[in-house]
Amino acid sequence: SKLVDKITIRELIKKLNLRDREIIKLRYFKDKTQSQVAKILGISQVHVSRIEKRILSEFKKNLLTT
């Protein structure tokens, strides 16, 4: 159900390290672009892209096994 998915995603976000959590927050809750996130965090856009891809892959894997 959508509620279960929301709870699961919230739990997954809590498990992220601070930088990863910040990236997800800025990208998906504050609607920032990867370039904007990169500038805010002082890292490259490519690095933001790689981190985001890894996080989403982990989320997908966790959601499929729940």
Side-chain angles (χ1 to χ4, degrees):
S1 78
K2 282 189 175 194
L3 179 63
V4 171
D5 287 349
K6 276 186 174 181
I7 292 168
T8 303
I9 290 169
R10 190 172 291 138
E11 292 303 313
L12 291 173
I13 290 171
K14 278 185 193 173
K15 291 178 185 176
L16 295 174
N17 68 44
L18 197 59
R19 183 194 59 191
D20 291 1
R21 194 175 323 140
E22 191 66 15
I23 288 171
I24 293 300
K25 185 177 87 179
L26 291 168
R27 289 283 290 135
Y28 296 95
F29 298 97
K30 303 287 185 183
D31 294 322
K32 300 285 185 197
T33 65
Q34 287 182 348
S35 296
Q36 289 170 321
V37 172
K39 195 171 189 173
I40 290 167
L41 297 180
I43 59 178
S44 72
Q45 177 272 321
V46 172
H47 198 54
V48 170
S49 178
R50 283 193 199 116
I51 293 168
E52 185 179 339
K53 187 175 180 182
R54 175 182 47 78
I55 294 167
L56 295 179
S57 174
E58 287 174 18
F59 279 9
K60 193 182 291 185
K61 191 170 59 182
N62 278 296
L63 287 171
L64 292 175
T65 58
T66 339

